[in-house]
Amino acid sequence: MNANVPSGAVPAPVFPEITGNLGFGLMRLPRVDGKIDIALTSEMADRFLAAGCNYFDTARVYDGSEEAVREAIVRRHPRGSFLLATKMAPWAGCESREQAVAQFETSLERTGAEYFDFYLLHNLGPGRTETFDRFGLWDWALKRREEGRIRHLGFSFHAGPEELDAILRNHPEMEFVQLQINYADWDDPVVRARQNHEVARRHGKPVVVMEPVKGGLLATPPQPAVEILRRAAPDASPASWALRFAAERDGVAVVLSGMSDMAQIDDNLSLLSSGRFRPFDAAERETLKDALAAMASVPTVPCTACGYCEKACPAGIGVRGTIAALNQLTLYGNETRARNHEHWNVAKAGKRRASECLRCGACEKVCPQRIAVRDVLARAAAAFA
Ligand code: SF4
Ligand code: SF4
């Protein structure tokens, strides 16, 4: 891995109405007996606003989150004192345009927000972008923006730079892109965060960062990396390195963090609240490079995700997604996350699982990295059984 961390001054705000560098992701709110804890969420929102930050990010597919926004934020603070982003996800069970656009009205009702400062077409990528095209939702969203019910229009994205480039060429009216950016995925051959970021910037689009701590994995990176980070800054949490890496990318409008308790709020605000963000200095940049090198020395499968094996495979095995999940398990040791990763990148992507490999060896004949794919898949089949 090579972060190739750039130098740079504190970036200028790309949406001047956003204050602070931190956005409050509302997907992992605290719960009591399965229900969102409105009292604690209110307290967390108050602390966040008091620190000079104002961007809240929810989505209709975050269970109970939009209703919690109404109780904890909209009913308790003047509408102009915060910015609210939510998202439309027609790929989650909509069979008609009417059902898809009803999501917008439902989100307005649930949140009581009257309008959305930022509205996103949620999770574009293979098998999902097509739904937005089929239901004519790009033009529909533009009309809502003209009416003022949406102030800024963008989309979140989980796929590669080629598809991102195509979307932005077809839809220059989109004002921003929400991308997965963190130091571990920056040069990852599957996520290709750096390339996605470059495409967005080439099209002049500001970037809202999601997953800056890789869903929490970079709060506990591999031990060799932890030791390097701790030696350089004993009081800085590993997550703080990840947040600062994300915040100092070019053109970043805000860095979202899905916060679940007051300690996370305080830790994140200490780094990214209004006026607090400090880009890495030269020594810190070297430290992060060393930590990445230490992570790269952890023995993972050297797959570049070129996909040749999958083209040759008679069984439709999701080799790339399987290897990426196995590598994640090796690096972070988090079995639940690795299993989710495998499910999302293999079964959900319409590919067959490692356990269905025929062991014919066609993949190994074309793999430029000479990976013993059959043995790797056998390991994965056992790990993800
Ligand atoms: S060995 Fe398995 S993964 Fe490789 S080509 Fe054959 S069926 Fe596909
Ligand atoms: S051919 Fe080899 S390097 Fe390319 S995706 Fe398959 S396993 Fe990875």
Side-chain angles (χ1 to χ4, degrees):
M1 271 175 267
N2 168 22
N4 195 13
V5 184
S7 59
V10 176
V14 285
F15 286 111
E17 61 268 56
I18 300 177
T19 54
N21 297 79
L22 182 67
F24 192 159
L26 301 158
M27 76 289 283
R28 289 188 277 270
L29 291 171
R31 288 178 185 263
V32 177
D33 297 331
K35 290 210 169 105
I36 291 175
D37 182 341
I38 297 297
L40 180 53
T41 301
S42 302
E43 228 181 292
M44 289 162 64
D46 293 356
R47 181 88 52 101
F48 180 76
L49 287 164
C53 294
N54 64 352
Y55 190 100
F56 292 91
D57 172 86
T58 183
R60 62 171 286 112
V61 294
Y62 302 161
D63 182 28
S65 175
E66 289 187 330
E67 291 87 345
V69 164
R70 183 183 62 230
E71 300 305 320
I73 303 163
V74 176
R75 285 194 169 156
R76 301 178 56 255
H77 294 278
R79 182 64 186 89
S81 67
F82 61 89
L83 302 172
L84 184 60
T86 193
K87 314 181 188 79
M88 162 187 270
W91 39 261
C94 289
E95 284 168 10
S96 67
R97 174 186 162 93
E98 287 66 36
Q99 285 181 358
V101 301
Q103 291 192 348
F104 176 75
E105 301 298 340
T106 313
S107 291
L108 281 175
E109 273 167 35
R110 286 178 177 173
T111 58
E114 297 172 20
Y115 62 90
F116 294 114
D117 303 275
F118 294 81
Y119 196 71
L120 295 93
L121 309 185
H122 195 170
N123 193 7
L124 268 60
R128 301 181 300 278
T129 306
E130 171 282 317
T131 320
F132 294 91
D133 298 339
R134 186 153 43 92
F135 293 152
L137 297 173
W138 304 92
D139 289 342
W140 168 87
L142 275 181
K143 290 216 169 63
R144 302 293 83 73
R145 188 173 69 183
E146 281 163 24
E147 293 167 2
R149 301 171 83 199
I150 293 172
R151 297 283 159 88
H152 296 293
L153 193 52
F155 61 91
S156 61
F157 182 79
H158 280 283
E162 299 81 10
E163 182 165 353
L164 180 59
D165 187 54
I167 292 172
L168 288 172
R169 269 190 282 110
N170 290 336
H171 298 287
E173 71 279 11
M174 291 289 112
E175 294 169 82
F176 65 99
V177 186
Q178 185 163 310
L179 293 175
Q180 176 172 332
I181 291 180
N182 58 66
Y183 67 73
D185 288 330
W186 190 238
D187 285 316
D188 181 88
V190 176
V191 180
R192 296 194 283 173
R194 179 204 292 269
Q195 290 178 55
N196 280 339
H197 176 259
E198 282 170 1
V199 168
R201 296 306 293 147
R202 203 160 56 239
H203 285 269
K205 304 301 176 190
V207 172
V208 172
V209 174
M210 59 181 159
E211 305 289 2
V213 192
K214 202 170 164 57
L217 289 175
L218 295 178
T220 53
Q223 198 52 31
V226 172
E227 283 165 18
I228 289 167
L229 298 177
R230 285 258 185 256
R231 226 175 10 250
D235 295 333
S237 66
S240 71
W241 289 86
L243 287 171
R244 290 175 66 201
F245 175 87
E248 76 165 10
R249 301 303 94 188
D250 167 54
V252 166
V254 71
V255 176
L256 300 179
S257 178
M259 296 177 278
S260 308
D261 57 42
M262 204 58 94
Q264 285 172 359
I265 291 265
D266 287 340
D267 192 33
N268 292 350
L269 286 173
S270 72
L271 297 162
L272 297 183
S273 63
S274 204
R276 294 294 284 273
F277 171 57
R278 187 174 58 79
F280 292 129
D281 61 25
E284 289 170 326
R285 221 162 260 127
E286 282 307 308
T287 298
L288 190 54
K289 272 190 193 165
D290 291 347
L292 280 161
M295 284 169 70
S297 72
V298 175
T300 53
V301 181
C303 173
T304 60
C306 66
Y308 296 154
C309 54
E310 293 184 10
K311 288 201 179 89
C313 175
I317 306 294
V319 178
R320 290 174 291 182
T322 303
I323 293 178
L326 193 63
N327 282 344
Q328 190 183 93
L329 184 62
T330 306
L331 276 167
Y332 302 102
N334 186 324
E335 195 180 318
T336 306
R337 289 298 309 277
R339 276 182 186 280
N340 287 343
H341 195 69
E342 191 259 355
H343 177 66
W344 180 260
N345 283 309
V346 180
K348 284 285 258 183
K351 308 268 184 176
R352 290 243 169 88
R353 300 187 68 208
S355 55
E356 296 173 87
C357 171
L358 307 171
R359 293 194 68 79
C360 66
C363 49
E364 294 178 16
K365 292 198 179 100
V366 296
C367 175
Q369 307 304 319
R370 298 168 189 262
I371 292 167
V373 177
R374 286 173 290 186
D375 291 349
V376 170
L377 290 179
R379 270 171 52 208
F384 302 131

